[in-house]
Amino acid sequence: MAYLLETKQLTMKFGGLTAVSDLNIEIDQGQIIGLIGPNGAGKTTAFNMITGVYKPSSGQILFKGHHIDGMKPHRITAMGIARTFQNIRLFKEMTVLENVLVAHHFRMGTNLIESVMKLPSYTKKEQESRELALSLLERLSLADQAYERSTSLPYGKQRRLEIARALATGPTLLLLDEPAAGMNPQESRDLMDFIFKIREDFKLTILLIEHHMQVVMGVCERMYVLDYGVTIAHGSPEHIRKNPKVIEAYLGADAC
């Protein structure tokens, strides 16, 4: 049986620098998998290759058994892969609802003539999109802030809104890039519950980059550890916590 996502010897070089070398990841449907390592280890570069931002120097990426390495980002999104970013990238002048509507727009299936002429078919699809966006905000406990500017939300809810925007594209695989960054301890605990909830509610598979060890150890079934672009370990949280190479390169003795 094919994996939902599989990378084979995935490599990314920038000139003489190898950012990621021979990365092999295997993710089954429904799993929550972690990708961890020190700053500069190549984690976000791996995300950028999977989502089409970078074309790999070599190697393969298979999603649902189909090769997607080198494919354009919008086509990868349409296939069912969505992501968030380490630095929140909300549309600051838009409301919470408008941020979600922008992400949902490509699923409307309208053409230029429909939208310019405001044909009844476009108006109907626009109303359906609005109803779906409001329903999504309700499911993620953001409906009460739907008409507020996105930047007026507390930091934790801005992170949640970014995830909502990713979910609006209808993914089966969600890539989260440091979702706990900048959160206080309570927000981090809430995030863990939130990740489990969206996995179940939206039937998601999740690949997670995270430096917050309580979060990543608490939600991930397996983890891959990168150091200078090379995979130095992979396995269960307990295995990773006790791995001497990981302790030396990343976790430190206090994490044991």
Side-chain angles (χ1 to χ4, degrees):
M1 182 177 178
Y3 296 102
L4 180 70
L5 179 75
E6 182 178 11
T7 69
K8 297 181 178 181
Q9 297 181 301
L10 193 61
T11 298
M12 187 72 229
K13 296 181 179 181
F14 299 99
L17 173 67
T18 300
V20 175
S21 178
D22 294 329
L23 178 62
N24 297 301
I25 292 178
E26 298 169 346
I27 304 178
D28 284 320
Q29 188 168 341
Q31 290 186 317
I32 302 176
I33 303 298
L35 186 62
I36 69 172
N39 288 328
K43 305 180 299 296
T44 297
T45 298
F47 266 30
N48 286 338
M49 286 189 284
I50 293 169
T51 56
V53 177
Y54 295 155
K55 181 179 180 179
S57 301
S58 61
Q60 300 175 335
I61 308 170
L62 289 92
F63 180 61
K64 299 179 181 177
H66 301 285
H67 285 272
I68 63 169
D69 33 283
M71 193 178 287
K72 297 295 184 182
H74 70 276
R75 291 187 60 198
I76 292 174
T77 299
M79 288 183 70
I81 298 179
R83 71 173 294 181
T84 64
F85 293 86
Q86 181 178 348
N87 299 313
I88 296 175
R89 298 188 181 184
L90 299 175
F91 296 105
K92 297 179 180 179
E93 300 303 318
M94 292 185 178
T95 66
V96 169
L97 175 61
E98 287 168 343
N99 267 270
V100 176
L101 284 171
V102 167
H104 191 266
H105 189 267
F106 92 98
R107 296 177 62 193
M108 288 175 60
T110 56
N111 57 45
L112 181 61
I113 294 176
E114 283 181 305
S115 56
V116 171
M117 301 296 293
K118 298 291 183 181
L119 299 178
S121 58
Y122 175 82
T123 303
K124 180 182 178 182
K125 290 175 183 176
E126 191 175 47
Q127 181 59 35
E128 290 173 349
S129 180
R130 187 180 186 86
E131 290 172 359
L132 287 169
L134 286 169
S135 175
L136 177 59
L137 291 175
E138 181 71 38
R139 294 173 70 181
L140 299 187
S141 301
L142 290 169
D144 289 346
Q145 290 84 35
Y147 300 100
E148 297 179 16
R149 276 181 56 175
S150 61
T151 51
S152 72
L153 296 180
Y155 186 82
K157 287 198 171 185
Q158 287 190 36
R159 282 284 181 191
R160 185 171 294 200
L161 174 57
E162 189 176 40
I163 293 172
R165 192 172 60 183
L167 292 175
T169 66
T172 51
L173 174 64
L174 178 63
L175 278 58
L176 301 176
D177 193 346
E178 295 194 38
M183 289 188 174
N184 62 42
Q186 183 58 53
E187 288 173 333
S188 296
R189 288 190 290 271
D190 291 344
L191 175 67
M192 293 171 66
D193 293 337
F194 182 68
I195 289 173
F196 285 127
K197 174 179 170 56
I198 62 173
R199 192 261 297 265
E200 297 303 319
D201 289 355
F202 294 90
K203 309 302 180 187
L204 292 172
T205 302
I206 297 173
L207 179 60
L208 170 74
I209 293 175
E210 188 52 70
H211 285 292
H212 194 302
M213 285 299 102
Q214 180 184 359
V215 172
V216 75
M217 293 286 183
V219 302
C220 292
E221 299 158 46
R222 289 187 296 111
M223 285 178 277
Y224 293 82
V225 187
L226 297 183
D227 189 30
Y228 294 105
V230 176
T231 305
I232 60 171
H234 71 273
S236 68
E238 191 62 26
H239 171 79
I240 295 300
R241 188 181 285 114
K242 295 179 179 179
N243 187 292
K245 289 183 179 180
V246 179
I247 293 169
E248 180 181 356
Y250 183 49
L251 296 181
D254 292 341
C256 299

